Amino acid sequence: MVDGITRRHFHHFLAAGAATAALAPGIKPAMALETANIIWTFDNPHLTGNFAPIGPEIDATDLPVIAGRIPPDLSGAYMRNGPNPLYKPNAFTYPMDGDGMVHAVYFDNGRARYRNRFVQTPSLAAERRAGRAIYGSFAHPMQIDPKLLHPGDPQGPFKNGAFINIIQHGGHLLALNESTTGFEITRDLDTIGEWKAGTDKPLRLGAHNRRHPKTGALFAINYSHAEPTVQIHQIDASGTLVNSFPVALAAPTMIHDFVLTERYIVLLVCPAVFDSAAAQQGQSFLQWRPAMGTRIGLIALDGSTTRWLDADPFFVFHFANAFERGGNIFIDYVKHESLALGYAQQTQKSPTLHRMMIDLATGKVGDAQVAGMVTEFPRVNDALDSLPTRFVYLPTLTDTLLLSKPPSATFNTMMKVNAETGDVVRHDFGNKIAGEAVFIPRGTNGEDDGYLAVYAFDQEQQTSDLVLLDAARVDADPVAMIRLPQRVPQGLHGNWIPKN
Ligand SMILES: [Fe+2]
C-alpha cells in the first residue's frame, strides 16, 4: 500500500491513518497523503484559533441541518478560498501568505454535501517534495535554494499559493492570488493547472476582478512588485483575453481590488509601495508612504484615456461596488486610515464602510462614512456588479464575541447596510466567528431577493456551520444552519457557483 510513497512522506501517511480513524462515519478522506492533520503551531494570531489551518481533505454527504431547512430549489455550490499553509511558514504575513484551500458546500434537492481540497500549485508541490516550507513571506521575501526547485517551479522569493479568491468566468473556475498566475480547478476541486485565458501562456492577474454589466467581459488587474505600472486585462465572456494595456504609476504599488462602471475602470492607487531596498535591510517589502497621497485613476475601458484625481492618503483592500448615476461615480468601500499588514488587534472602530462620490464634470471627490461599525469583506448582490446598489452585506464585531485581543479580520455579526440611508440591520452570531457573506440569488423580487452564505465558527463547541440568512430579513432566524464535518478556518473570499 505504500508503493509510490517516498520515505519522506511515510510519516504523513501514518498520520493520515490516524486522522482517518478519527473521522465520523460517512465521512471519507480524499487521499491518504493529504489527510494528515496539521500538527505544527506558529506564534502568530492569524495562525491560531480559527485562523489555524487544517490538513484533512474530506468529502461528506447529507450534511446535518441543525436549524431551519435548506431551500429545495437551491442548486449550486458555495465555494470559498483561504490561506491554509500546509507547512510551518518561514514567515507569515496575513492576509498575503498561505496555500489555497477551497471549501465547497454543494446544494441540490434540499440536501448539502461538503468537500475541501488544497489548490495544488507548483509552489506547494515543491514544498511537499522538501517536506517543509521553502518560500519566504510576501512582506519578508527569502532566497530559495535552487536545488529544491524543479525547472518551471516558481523561483520565489515568495510562493504563489492561489488562496485569496475563487471565481467562475466563461465556464472556468479559478483560484486566484494576486500579481501572479491563477489556477483553474474543476467543480470537484481538482487542480487543472495555470489558467491561460485562451492564450499560449499563463495569465498574471489579481484576486479581485469585475464583470462589465453590459458585455459580461471580465476586467482584471496585475500590479508589479518591481515596476511602476499596473497591467489591465479584458477577458471576454467566453474566457479569452482580448485586450491588455499598462497604466503608469508613480511607484510599484500594491492594488488589491478595484471597481468598474459602465464606462470606466476606477483604480484607487493608495500609497502602499514595494521597496526592495527596504526588504534587503530586513524591513517589510511593502511600505506605507502617506506623503504620496491616494490617487484615483478613471481609465477608459479600452485604455485610450486616463484621468487622475488626488485625494488624501488612505488605504482600501476591498470595494463593495461602484456605479455611474447622474454624472457621478459612486463607490462603496471599506476605508482604512492606513495600511496595516500582519498582526493588529481588531477594534470596534476602524475600518468602516464609506461612500465616495466623484463628480465627473468637476473632478471633485466627496467622501462620507456610511456606518460607524468596524468592518471588512463588503459584498453586494453580484448580479448588480457595476450597476446601482443600495445594500452592502458585511461583517462587524460586537462584544458578544468572547475573545480577548481578537486579531484583525475577526467578526461575529453580519450587517446589511443601506448605503443611501445609513440604515443598518444586523444578525449577531454571539460567540461565533463569522466572515464574508456571499449573496445567493433567489428570485426577481428586488436587490435583496436572495440568501447570504456565511461560515460561522462556534468557539465553545469548536464546530463550524454554514449559515444561510435571508438577505431581505437579515435579522430573522437563519433560513438554515448546516453543520460541517470539520472546522472551516477563517478564510478570505468566496462565490456562489450556480449549477450550470
Ligand atoms: Fe481580498
Side-chain angles (χ1 to χ4, degrees), residues 221-419:
I221 60 172
N222 181 49
Y223 65 74
S224 168
H225 298 120
E227 306 294 332
T229 184
V230 56
Q231 195 77 17
I232 306 225
H233 303 304
Q234 184 181 340
I235 300 150
D236 72 14
S238 75
T240 300
L241 181 70
V242 292
N243 191 23
S244 203
F245 59 89
V247 173
L249 305 176
T253 305
M254 179 209 187
I255 307 174
H256 184 72
D257 192 1
F258 69 101
V259 276
L260 190 70
T261 71
E262 287 196 40
R263 293 184 295 164
Y264 300 100
I265 297 149
V266 184
L267 279 187
L268 269 71
V269 182
C270 304
V273 305
F274 294 100
D275 186 333
S276 53
Q280 279 162 14
Q281 290 164 13
Q283 298 161 23
S284 176
F285 184 31
L286 188 59
Q287 295 280 322
W288 179 243
R289 300 272 160 78
M292 296 173 72
T294 288
R295 299 168 74 218
I296 301 164
L298 305 177
I299 303 158
L301 297 183
D302 61 1
S304 57
T305 61
T306 300
R307 176 182 178 192
W308 290 104
L309 308 172
D310 293 312
D312 290 336
F314 61 88
F315 187 73
V316 54
F317 270 115
H318 297 121
F319 299 93
N321 197 18
F323 55 89
E324 292 180 53
R325 185 170 65 196
N328 299 301
I329 292 176
F330 293 87
I331 305 172
D332 293 338
Y333 72 107
V334 173
K335 184 173 189 175
H336 296 242
E337 296 302 316
S338 64
L339 170 73
L341 288 175
Y343 177 71
Q345 187 181 332
Q346 184 69 77
T347 69
Q348 293 186 357
K349 290 187 180 153
S350 172
T352 58
L353 180 66
H354 280 239
R355 175 168 275 198
M356 178 181 288
M357 189 180 89
I358 300 169
D359 183 325
L360 287 168
T362 64
K364 188 167 172 285
V365 178
D367 188 79
Q369 188 181 73
V370 175
M373 285 74 82
V374 61
T375 193
E376 246 301 346
F377 302 108
R379 295 295 294 255
V380 299
N381 177 345
D382 303 296
L384 299 171
D385 207 6
S386 309
L387 294 172
T389 48
R390 289 176 292 163
F391 299 125
V392 184
Y393 308 96
L394 64 187
T396 189
L397 178 65
T398 69
D399 56 16
T400 60
L401 186 77
L402 306 176
L403 191 64
S404 68
K405 298 185 178 174
S408 59
T410 302
F411 303 108
N412 71 327
T413 296
M414 190 52 58
M415 300 190 289
K416 175 188 186 181
V417 180
N418 183 327

Side-chain angles (χ1 to χ4, degrees), residues 82-107:
N84 193 84
L86 177 59
Y87 295 105
K88 182 173 183 169
N90 293 305
F92 188 81
T93 307
Y94 179 87
M96 305 307 295
D97 289 319
D99 295 307
M101 179 180 271
V102 177
H103 299 262
V105 177
Y106 304 82
F107 293 95

Side-chain angles (χ1 to χ4, degrees), residues 168-172 211-212 214-218 234-242:
Q168 182 168 251
H169 183 68
H172 303 275
R211 199 166 279 116
H212 192 274
K214 292 266 167 65
T215 67
L218 190 75
Q234 184 181 340
I235 300 150
D236 72 14
S238 75
T240 300
L241 181 70
V242 292

